[in-house]
Amino acid sequence: MRNLVTAIVVAQSGEWLDATLEALGSQTLPPDRIIGVINGRSDKITQQYLNAGITRLVATGKQASFGAAIAAAERQIEPLQLAQAADDAVSEWLWLLTEDSAPEPKALRAILSVVMSAPSVAVAGPKLIDWEHPERIVELGQSLTRYGSRWLLRRQELDQQQYDHLQDTLGVGPIGVLVRRDVWRELNGFDPALPIYDDSLDFCVRARLAGHRVIVAPKSRVRVALSGIAGPRSDRRATTRRHNHYHARASHMHRRIVYANPISAFCMWLLLPLLGLFRIFWALLREQPGNMLGELLAALKVFFNPGAIISARLRLRKHNVAGWGAVGPLRADPKDVRTARMIDREAILAAQGRSRKELHFISTGGLATLLISIVMSAALTWWLAGEQQISAGGTAPLSNFTQLWRNTQMADGIPADPFTWVLAALGSTTFFNPSLAVVLFLALAIPLATVGGWFWGAQFTDTTAGRVLSGFGWALSPVLLGSLDHARLQTVALAVILPWLLIAATRAHQSWSWAGTASLLAAAGLATAPVLIPVALVMWVAGMLLHPRQITRVAATAIAPAALLFPIVWHSFSVGNPILALRDPGLNTPYEPGNLWHLLLGFPRNGLEGWAAIFANLGLADAPTTLLVGVLLAPLALLAAIGIYLGKVNVTIFASILGGLGLITAIFSANTYLTTSGENVVPLWTGSGLALYWIAVITLAASGSSMLGKAATPIAAVAIIANMVVVTPLLVSLATGQSEARDTRTPVPAIIQAAGSTNENMRTLALEALGDDSIKAEIITGSGTVLDEIRTGHYTAELSAADQQLAELVAILASEGSPELNEQLVQNGVSFVLLRNTGDTALRSALQEVFDQQVALEVTGPTEAGQLWTVVATEAAQQNATASANQAAELDTKLPILNISALQLTSHTLWAAQIVLLLAMLLLALPTGEVTETPPKRPRRRKRMRVRDTDAAVILHEKADANNAENGKESR
């Protein structure tokens, strides 16, 4: 039998064509005929073919798929006139090549010898090797997994001839494949619905079902550059990878439906739109957000092209002779697939420098540090045992689970503070009693901060001394212990979150999981300390500039913070004062910020958290006190200085910028007043900025300790002990139960609590006589102050209309015999008046005497919180209040609306959008173990041949040289 081979070369850009034609001409057994295909129209490619002696040319006219280009060339093949006996049998073969596939000299002889030894073979594929690194196998055979996905059997391995014994396979790739022409025509070539992926694999499956064999010829080697002429384009660009994924998914779904039985195929086709929606979330869960749109479009493409499915099924059914039993044994073994994927994952992580780093938590002091911190926390917060809620300092009880999440929505046009979302997430951990979660969190704050500091230190130092110093240095910071002592829940939460936020943020460019984690932690951190928004913006922009190739991942870290902060920021702009978005959330108790020296030492408040009072009793002034505390911190400062001059440059620069921005923020906070508390104007809390400053100092100190060798341990120990001495007043206050966090506020009377539990909108006017004819007034809604109901949008540094109205109400209440009192109380919804038993005694007695004489008030009697009166509403006052309420309802019958340019968002719409974005980031942050392989760099371009422009039409050229006309080639 004679074997006649027609080589078909498809060219698209001409970039690799000269090298491929040269390799084709160097074959030890040349093909009988070569047909050049111009995929599109290109005079330069035409000239390249002509210069190489290829005169049989076909132009597709417009760019077509590889299968369509091959089909166009195959139709132009005419029978060869051979000098042969009449009874000689001839077998025609098609050798499919692209301009970026250069066969080695023995490639055709090797693959042809294999098919000659097995007459049942209809398709044979070569060993594809890398263009620049021919020792690496790109592909050697294909198969299908259990669920119908394409599986490359041998790829990205060194070619040590370890697979040269292989033959039978389920499928081969399209490049370099040798296929019998009669089989090509019998099976109608490649499926037009598979333009990029799985075209050759599907053809091989149909060949197997038709009773033919498909093999690989490992000794036939073809170099490939994978420029996308046949199969997907190998490129590092994200757009190319998204494009490839879209086509891969469309091809996979098309094949699955074509191969399924009729009923299953119809159901699968019908559910394609739902599958596309599901795959959007699946792509997000697998940390591949760039593929989300492609998943949906691929499903819709297959769904709206049922004709291609029907044609493919008819074609498959027509030639299905052997049955699917011929395909089953050649499917990839699931165990082999799992093993290969695991090996590939580790190889990809190693190649990308993301191999898991062993932290040696136990051997480098992590476990010991954690256990000591647990003992320390038990000794310092023992007074929290048995508590169900905290109502002291900057903390208050939380609402029930349902109301807790309801308070995250906008109410009366005022957006909820982002901190409310943090409280809702925290309170949900003990949904049966959300306030208990606050108690548990305060009790565990020190161990959580310690382990967070240790893990942060482990990112840049391998020494035990450096890691232990980082853990204890952060847990023993004046910011954390001071906030715990004063029950500032916001700053305690920031101290716990910050180390993990820094770990995630510095790795956000590495994977989508880190980006999602950083986004959620940044949202929580900025919710507790909005004053850090400018710092976060600076670091975010810096991250994008430092990692331009991963700019999408770094940019995505802003999604969750934007979702939470946008409403309150927009509200601040809408009232004409954008800086109001930086207000501290929750309860803002008055305090005196520390001076510059105090801030440099890490103390948010004036007085150095008790040191000033101690030394004042000893007769020392403020300056010597500051100097003595500074001397105690000298070991830590010394280690930080060593870290600056001898530590790693990147750590030094990062920590210096972070600490500088934190200190600037603290100074800004000390001089910015955005909230009032009674007659006091409250500055922003300096502890938020100092948290950044202190962790930067700890970072530099831990880095410096790793430079000292054996001397690091004693010096780090001295620094930790000195730090403990610095915070001794705080430790004593906590350990003895004298902290402000234990000084529970006087609760509202039981009668108000009972009435408020049934009527959440009930209002109580609480008054406190301050002296000098000054009265502090506040409205208590429901059963008392609830932390998650506080909205900073209600508060300003100036008197608002509501404040003015409240002042007028108190003035009327303090006036004897005012006829307007009953109506004013009813219109303001006041049901009780409470005069607290604190403050100036004389003024309190005078007010009580006046209130007893008011006709609108009925004496309820003394309570543990103070004297209580019940408002007696007259019928006329109730009618006036009802009329006013009806008029207000007519003016606002819709849900609260936040106007955003021309767009109007209701509170429910805004809340739903926030939930969707946060859930998306949560799905992105979940660890899935998925890794994405970065395609290798494309080979360097070969120089193109200088060619003259030609006006020759790109058509089938029938001019053949004399040797080809005689066809005197050796018979095969």
Side-chain angles (χ1 to χ4, degrees):
M1 175 179 287
R2 297 178 182 271
N3 294 283
L4 305 179
V5 178
T6 300
I8 302 177
V9 182
V10 180
Q12 191 165 293
S13 66
E15 181 179 347
W16 317 90
L17 185 56
D18 293 333
T20 298
L21 294 177
E22 181 182 351
L24 195 58
S26 301
Q27 292 296 302
T28 57
L29 182 61
D32 296 277
R33 180 163 40 191
I34 301 176
I35 297 180
V37 180
I38 302 102
N39 195 1
R41 290 183 177 273
S42 174
D43 292 343
K44 291 185 178 181
I45 295 178
T46 302
Q47 192 62 49
Q48 284 178 279
Y49 277 129
L50 295 176
N51 290 342
I54 310 300
T55 56
R56 290 183 175 84
L57 302 180
V58 175
T60 60
K62 60 180 180 180
Q63 190 166 312
S65 65
F66 181 66
I70 294 297
E74 188 274 334
R75 288 192 294 267
Q76 302 297 335
I77 298 177
E78 293 183 357
L80 295 175
Q81 301 297 327
L82 296 177
Q84 58 182 352
D87 58 348
D88 283 348
V90 177
S91 180
E92 289 191 69
W93 294 86
L94 303 178
W95 194 21
L96 313 185
L97 297 170
T98 58
E99 68 168 83
D100 61 342
S101 58
E104 291 191 348
K106 297 181 181 179
L108 182 56
R109 182 182 295 276
I111 197 171
L112 198 57
S113 64
V114 174
V115 301
M116 289 176 63
S117 63
S120 60
V121 173
V123 183
K127 179 190 296 180
L128 301 182
I129 56 178
D130 188 85
W131 186 281
E132 289 290 327
H133 303 281
E135 71 279 2
R136 296 179 185 173
I137 301 174
V138 173
E139 182 184 320
L140 183 59
Q142 298 182 2
S143 184
L144 294 174
T145 65
R146 176 188 300 175
Y147 301 107
S149 298
R150 178 174 57 99
W151 182 252
L152 302 183
L153 295 176
R154 305 289 183 270
R155 77 277 193 211
Q156 303 302 330
E157 296 184 43
L158 289 177
D159 184 10
Q160 299 174 331
Q161 300 181 352
Q162 68 271 37
Y163 302 121
D164 284 5
H165 62 282
L166 298 178
Q167 275 202 341
D168 278 277
T169 183
L170 179 57
V172 294
I175 301 177
V177 64
L178 189 69
V179 56
R180 256 179 30 209
R181 187 184 177 194
D182 61 326
V183 175
W184 174 270
R185 287 198 162 188
E186 174 191 348
L187 300 178
N188 295 324
F190 292 162
D191 188 344
L194 304 174
I196 296 179
Y197 278 89
D198 302 345
D199 48 1
S200 182
L201 175 61
D202 172 73
F203 180 82
C204 293
V205 170
R206 288 187 281 125
R208 281 281 181 182
L209 294 175
H212 305 293
R213 282 182 64 192
V214 179
I215 64 171
V216 291
K219 293 185 178 180
S220 175
R221 292 160 48 95
V222 177
R223 289 189 301 142
V224 293
L226 301 179
S227 61
I229 301 174
R233 178 186 179 91
S234 179
D235 200 321
R236 286 175 175 261
R237 289 180 298 181
T239 53
T240 302
R241 282 183 280 172
R242 288 195 291 268
H243 180 265
N244 289 344
H245 179 79
Y246 159 72
H247 282 284
R249 285 294 304 155
S251 299
H252 174 72
M253 286 184 283
H254 173 81
R255 283 192 303 99
R256 285 292 302 275
I257 297 176
V258 170
Y259 296 167
N261 61 66
I263 297 178
S264 298
F266 177 76
C267 294
M268 292 167 64
W269 173 80
L270 198 62
L271 294 175
L272 278 176
L274 293 178
L275 176 64
L277 294 175
F278 169 76
R279 293 285 300 189
I280 288 177
F281 294 99
W282 183 249
L284 192 63
L285 184 62
R286 295 183 64 184
E287 302 162 14
Q288 297 170 350
N291 296 335
M292 293 169 61
L293 181 60
E295 292 282 358
L296 179 61
L297 294 180
L300 295 179
K301 175 187 176 182
V302 179
F303 179 77
F304 287 109
N305 195 13
I309 297 175
I310 295 173
S311 298
R313 288 184 62 84
L314 292 175
R315 191 163 48 242
L316 182 71
R317 181 180 179 182
K318 178 181 178 181
H319 302 289
N320 190 353
V321 177
W324 286 101
V327 173
L330 295 171
R331 285 182 179 266
D333 182 68
K335 183 178 180 181
D336 293 341
V337 171
R338 289 193 299 270
T339 303
R341 284 175 175 169
M342 182 178 64
I343 295 174
D344 288 347
R345 181 179 183 276
E346 295 300 325
I348 293 171
L349 289 175
Q352 296 176 357
R354 294 167 51 197
S355 298
R356 182 177 298 176
K357 179 182 177 182
E358 292 295 336
L359 295 178
H360 304 289
F361 182 73
I362 297 177
S363 60
T364 56
L367 181 60
T369 303
L370 176 60
L371 294 176
I372 293 174
S373 68
I374 292 175
V375 174
M376 183 190 306
S377 178
L380 296 177
T381 60
W382 56 268
W383 38 271
L384 288 173
E387 296 289 340
Q388 296 295 311
Q389 63 183 31
I390 296 293
S391 179
T395 306
L398 301 182
S399 304
N400 59 58
F401 178 77
T402 303
Q403 185 62 35
L404 187 61
W405 283 101
R406 187 179 296 125
N407 287 335
T408 59
Q409 300 184 38
M410 186 168 56
D412 299 327
I414 303 297
D417 290 347
F419 185 58
T420 307
W421 290 83
V422 178
L423 294 175
L426 177 62
S428 298
T429 58
T430 56
F431 59 90
F432 51 90
N433 181 10
S435 298
L436 180 61
V438 176
V439 178
L440 297 176
F441 179 74
L442 292 177
L444 297 174
I446 292 177
L448 291 174
T450 303
V451 74
W454 188 94
F455 273 99
W456 168 240
Q459 307 305 307
F460 50 84
T461 178
D462 295 327
T463 63
T464 301
R467 294 179 176 185
V468 173
L469 175 62
S470 181
F472 281 129
W474 180 240
L476 295 173
S477 64
V479 174
L480 174 59
L481 294 180
S483 300
L484 192 60
D485 184 59
H486 300 294
R488 280 191 173 268
L489 179 62
Q490 306 92 318
T491 313
V492 174
L494 176 64
V496 172
I497 293 170
L498 190 55
W500 303 106
L501 170 58
L502 293 178
I503 293 174
T506 53
R507 294 188 173 189
H509 65 283
Q510 295 181 0
S511 69
W512 282 107
S513 180
W514 281 119
T517 303
S519 183
L520 291 174
L521 291 175
L526 294 177
T528 62
V531 72
L532 299 180
I533 292 177
V535 178
L537 288 174
V538 171
M539 303 302 287
W540 181 60
V541 172
M544 290 190 291
L545 295 177
L546 289 174
H547 304 285
R549 290 187 176 180
Q550 294 82 28
I551 190 171
T552 305
R553 289 178 186 166
V554 179
T557 59
I559 293 178
L564 293 190
L565 294 170
F566 172 75
I568 194 70
V569 171
W570 182 261
H571 177 76
S572 301
F573 274 91
S574 65
V575 298
N577 193 356
I579 200 174
L580 295 180
L582 305 181
R583 282 180 293 200
D584 296 316
L587 293 171
N588 292 310
T589 55
Y591 83 104
E592 183 180 356
N595 57 37
L596 178 60
W597 292 108
H598 294 173
L599 298 179
L600 284 172
L601 294 176
F603 288 87
R605 292 169 172 264
N606 189 35
L608 299 173
E609 296 294 356
W611 280 111
I614 294 174
F615 284 105
N617 294 332
L618 299 176
L620 296 177
D622 180 69
T625 302
T626 304
L627 178 61
L628 290 174
V629 173
V631 170
L632 290 174
L633 289 175
L636 189 65
L638 175 62
L639 289 175
I642 294 174
I644 292 176
Y645 289 103
L646 299 180
K648 296 178 181 179
V649 176
N650 57 340
V651 175
T652 299
I653 294 176
F654 173 79
S656 300
I657 294 176
L658 185 68
L661 291 174
L663 186 60
I664 292 172
T665 302
I667 296 173
F668 167 80
S669 300
N671 296 277
T672 304
Y673 301 85
L674 300 178
T675 308
T676 58
S677 178
E679 60 182 359
N680 299 310
V681 182
V682 183
L684 293 177
W685 175 238
T686 57
S688 302
L690 288 184
L692 296 184
Y693 168 73
W694 190 265
I695 202 170
V697 172
I698 294 300
T699 301
L700 292 173
S703 177
S705 66
S706 62
M707 301 290 108
L708 299 179
K710 295 182 178 179
T713 300
I715 296 179
V718 171
I720 293 173
I721 295 173
N723 193 18
M724 290 185 65
V725 175
V726 168
V727 295
T728 295
L730 291 172
L731 296 177
V732 172
S733 176
L734 289 168
T736 57
Q738 299 176 358
S739 66
E740 186 179 342
R742 200 184 181 194
D743 186 15
T744 304
R745 297 187 195 89
T746 303
V748 296
I751 187 174
I752 296 180
Q753 292 182 10
S757 62
T758 57
N759 181 11
E760 297 178 352
N761 296 320
M762 186 198 71
R763 309 182 81 192
T764 301
L765 176 60
L767 304 172
E768 183 179 0
L770 300 179
D772 297 329
D773 294 332
S774 177
I775 303 173
K776 178 181 178 181
E778 63 175 329
I779 295 292
I780 300 176
T781 303
S783 56
T785 302
V786 180
L787 191 59
D788 53 281
E789 290 182 349
I790 298 175
R791 297 173 185 262
T792 57
H794 285 127
Y795 301 100
T796 62
E798 301 175 353
L799 287 178
S800 63
D803 295 332
Q804 187 66 36
Q805 185 178 3
L806 180 60
E808 293 175 358
L809 177 61
V810 174
I812 295 174
L813 180 62
S815 302
E816 297 183 4
S818 175
E820 303 176 2
L821 178 60
N822 193 276
E823 183 176 344
Q824 289 293 328
L825 289 172
V826 174
Q827 285 185 354
N828 284 275
V830 177
S831 301
F832 295 94
V833 175
L834 173 65
L835 181 61
R836 298 190 183 278
N837 51 17
T838 56
D840 185 76
T841 304
L843 181 58
R844 185 172 66 253
S845 300
L847 289 174
Q848 180 175 345
E849 183 178 351
V850 173
F851 294 169
D852 286 339
Q853 297 176 4
Q854 296 288 4
V855 178
L857 300 179
E858 179 180 335
V859 178
T860 303
T863 67
E864 68 276 13
Q867 192 70 21
L868 184 65
W869 290 266
T870 302
V871 175
V872 180
T874 63
E875 183 177 352
Q878 288 179 342
Q879 292 177 352
N880 292 336
T882 302
S884 300
N886 292 336
Q887 183 178 5
E890 291 178 359
L891 294 176
D892 186 14
T893 58
K894 298 182 179 180
L895 292 170
I897 289 179
L898 183 67
N899 292 314
I900 305 174
S901 300
L903 181 66
Q904 291 187 330
L905 295 180
T906 66
S907 61
H908 292 329
T909 304
L910 180 65
W911 188 78
Q914 290 176 300
I915 288 289
V916 169
L917 291 175
L918 292 176
L919 286 178
M921 289 298 101
L922 179 60
L923 290 176
L924 201 61
L926 292 176
T928 63
E930 293 288 337
V931 295
T932 303
E933 181 178 7
T934 303
K937 292 183 179 179
R938 291 190 61 203
R940 296 185 300 272
R941 291 190 176 189
R942 301 295 184 184
K943 290 184 177 179
R944 294 184 178 179
M945 296 178 59
R946 284 187 169 273
V947 296
R948 293 175 299 175
D949 293 338
T950 177
D951 295 329
V954 186
I955 58 173
L956 179 65
H957 290 265
E958 296 298 342
K959 298 178 180 179
D961 53 31
N963 292 333
N964 286 340
E966 296 177 358
N967 295 306
K969 296 186 177 235
E970 64 173 295
S971 62
R972 286 146 169 96

